[in-house]
Amino acid sequence: MYIKCRVNAKGKITFMYSFDVAPVNGKRTTITKSGFKTKKEALEAGKQAEYEFHHSGRKQQSKMSYNDFSEYWITNDCEISLKHSTVISYRKNLKNKILPYIGKHYVDEISKAQLQALLTTLYDNGYSRNSICEVRGILTKSFRFAEENGYIKSNPSIKLILPKNRIP
């Protein structure tokens, strides 16, 4: 973004902002607005306009704990599309296996390494491969929902590896 001083035909000084957006038909495209009395006003308005342009249609990154997000996900996705028994199973797995480890973390700050450590910890605590597979599925589905709905930028649960060949 840049700010430019303009002088009109009557000698009045105004300021304008301009920033680049995606090219259209291979040609450079900018958004420009002028008529600001001070450089500071133009800069503030330009920053606001650029932010709104780049973030239109997207939610702000979520400052929601995984505990709160999982309840939101169960209510707004699982209860609508899954059987009641599956929802009960998801709630049980969340309560007993997932939330004690990552429930207090912000959804958008959970990393793949934390999720992999969770699966490894469950394996070391003696949970069966099938139980760990269920947990991985819940993590994958919940983070896919978070990504599709704009709560996170990228899905940390992609390609999580089930532990094996380790002595628990």
Side-chain angles (χ1 to χ4, degrees):
M1 176 184 2
Y2 70 92
I3 308 297
K4 185 177 178 183
C5 179
R6 300 179 68 196
V7 179
N8 67 10
K10 295 180 181 178
K12 185 177 177 185
I13 297 174
T14 60
F15 293 87
M16 66 175 268
Y17 68 78
S18 180
F19 60 92
D20 292 331
V21 295
V24 176
N25 297 327
K27 295 185 179 183
R28 180 179 175 189
T29 308
T30 60
I31 293 180
T32 305
K33 186 169 182 184
S34 63
F36 298 97
K37 293 179 182 178
T38 65
K39 186 175 183 178
K40 186 177 180 180
E41 283 180 18
L43 181 63
E44 289 174 5
K47 284 181 182 179
Q48 181 65 30
E50 187 174 29
Y51 178 83
E52 288 174 4
F53 176 81
H54 290 296
H55 294 89
S56 63
R58 277 192 275 165
K59 291 182 176 68
Q60 190 175 8
Q61 293 302 301
S62 176
K63 288 300 177 191
M64 182 187 298
S65 70
Y66 185 77
N67 188 23
D68 294 341
F69 173 76
S70 64
E71 185 58 38
Y72 176 80
W73 168 64
I74 291 283
T75 305
N76 293 297
D77 185 39
C78 298
E79 288 181 350
I80 295 169
S81 60
L82 301 174
K83 291 181 183 178
H84 182 68
S85 60
T86 305
V87 173
I88 291 172
S89 173
Y90 280 15
R91 286 187 190 277
K92 183 179 175 186
N93 277 314
L94 280 163
K95 179 183 173 191
N96 296 328
K97 298 173 187 165
I98 299 173
L99 295 179
Y101 295 99
I102 63 170
K104 294 178 183 171
H105 296 278
Y106 289 122
V107 174
D108 58 347
E109 293 178 358
I110 295 174
S111 67
K112 181 175 181 170
Q114 285 175 301
L115 298 179
Q116 190 63 58
L118 166 62
L119 296 180
T120 304
T121 302
L122 292 175
Y123 181 78
D124 290 344
N125 288 340
Y127 286 97
S128 69
R129 183 172 174 83
N130 190 39
S131 293
I132 297 170
C133 235
E134 288 175 9
V135 168
R136 182 178 67 173
I138 291 169
L139 292 171
T140 301
K141 289 174 186 174
S142 67
F143 280 106
R144 185 180 307 130
F145 178 80
E147 183 180 31
E148 289 170 354
N149 288 283
Y151 291 99
I152 58 175
K153 289 182 181 178
S154 63
N155 188 342
S157 67
I158 294 175
K159 296 184 181 179
L160 289 173
I161 300 167
L162 292 176
K164 61 181 178 181
N165 298 332
R166 285 184 57 170
I167 299 171

